[in-house]
Amino acid sequence: LGESLASIRKFDTPVAQATTSSLEALKAFCLGKRQRARGAEGDSVSFLKRAIELDPNFAMGYAVLGNNYVNLGEYTLAAENIKKAYDLRDRVSEWEKFYISSHYQMAVTGDLQSAKQICRLWSQTYPRDPTPVTNLGYIAGLLGQVEPGVASARQALDLASNNALNYSNLAAGYVAAGRLDEAQVILDQARSRQLDSPLLHG
C-alpha cells in the first residue's frame, strides 16, 4: 500500500496489540471512521462509542472519538476521551502513538508547539499519510499562521481527496486568507464528491 519495507519492519505490531483483539470492536471502529471521512461526525460517534464498549482498552477508539468531539465542539468530552487514549498508549503501534500524542497535546494540554513537533516527526516517518499534514494545518490555523495552514491543508487534500475534513480545512484556510473565490471552488468540489459535514456548512 505504499509503506516501505524498512518502515514495516521497524513499526510492525500485531493487530491485537496495535488496535484491538475484538473483531466486533474493530468493525464498529471502521464504520465510525468511514462515517467521519464522509463528514458525518455525529453519526460516527455512535459507532466509536460501540467500539469502546466492546473493548474498553481500545486506545484508538477513544482517540478518534475524542477527535470527533473536538470537531463537534464538545471539548470536555474530547479531552476525557483523548486522555483515556493517552493513558492506554502503551498498547498501540508507533503510528497510533503519534496520533494519540499529538491530539493529547492539542486537546488536553493545549501545548501546540509540542503537537507541532510530534506532527512533523510523524509526517517524516509516514510521508504519504495525510493525517499529520492535516494536523499541521489545523495547528497553524490555531497559531494564526494563515499561509502555512493553507499550504498544509492543500497538501492534505492532495493526499486524501475523499475526506470531507480536508475540504473544510482548506476552505477555512482560504477564508482566513481572504481568498473567498478559492474557498467556494473547494466547497463546490466537496459537494460534487457528495461529501457533507457541519464543518463544510460552517
Side-chain angles (χ1 to χ4, degrees):
L1 297 177
E3 186 172 359
S4 72
L5 189 56
S7 173
I8 291 170
R9 285 185 183 130
K10 183 175 179 183
F11 299 113
D12 187 43
T13 305
V15 170
Q17 292 176 13
T19 54
T20 177
S21 57
S22 167
L23 182 58
E24 291 304 313
L26 185 59
K27 286 180 185 176
F29 177 78
C30 291
L31 288 169
K33 293 262 298 181
R34 186 175 301 146
Q35 291 298 316
R36 187 167 190 262
R38 286 183 45 244
E41 304 272 355
D43 294 339
S44 176
V45 166
S46 60
F47 289 110
L48 296 168
K49 281 184 170 181
R50 180 68 180 144
I52 60 176
E53 285 170 11
L54 291 164
D55 180 0
N57 293 315
F58 193 176
M60 278 302 289
Y62 289 104
V64 175
L65 178 59
N67 199 22
N68 269 20
Y69 282 133
V70 168
N71 293 341
L72 292 169
E74 298 282 349
Y75 300 111
T76 301
L77 289 170
E80 288 172 7
N81 282 279
I82 292 170
K83 182 170 185 328
K84 180 70 174 172
Y86 190 77
D87 292 342
L88 294 167
R89 72 190 182 284
D90 62 331
R91 301 169 176 266
V92 302
S93 69
E94 193 68 22
W95 186 94
E96 291 168 318
K97 282 181 186 167
F98 281 125
Y99 185 99
I100 291 167
S101 297
S102 63
H103 286 88
Y104 179 80
Q105 295 300 335
M106 285 187 279
V108 179
T109 71
D111 186 346
L112 298 179
Q113 293 302 328
S114 291
K116 190 175 184 179
Q117 290 174 351
I118 292 166
C119 289
R120 281 188 178 148
L121 180 58
W122 183 9
S123 182
Q124 291 164 4
T125 306
Y126 298 94
R128 295 182 186 187
D129 188 337
T131 310
V133 179
T134 298
N135 290 348
L136 284 167
Y138 176 73
I139 293 165
L142 292 175
L143 294 171
Q145 300 167 343
V146 176
E147 289 305 327
V150 168
S152 290
R154 176 82 253 172
Q155 184 183 358
L157 183 60
D158 289 344
L159 289 168
S161 61
N162 61 342
N163 190 315
L165 180 63
N166 292 333
Y167 288 91
S168 64
N169 286 348
L170 183 54
Y174 282 146
V175 169
R179 296 159 63 179
L180 302 183
D181 290 343
E182 291 170 272
Q184 187 62 59
V185 168
I186 293 301
L187 294 172
D188 290 343
Q189 287 176 6
R191 190 175 301 112
S192 73
R193 289 179 169 265
Q194 299 181 336
L195 297 171
D196 197 12
S197 159
L199 295 172
L200 286 167
H201 289 278

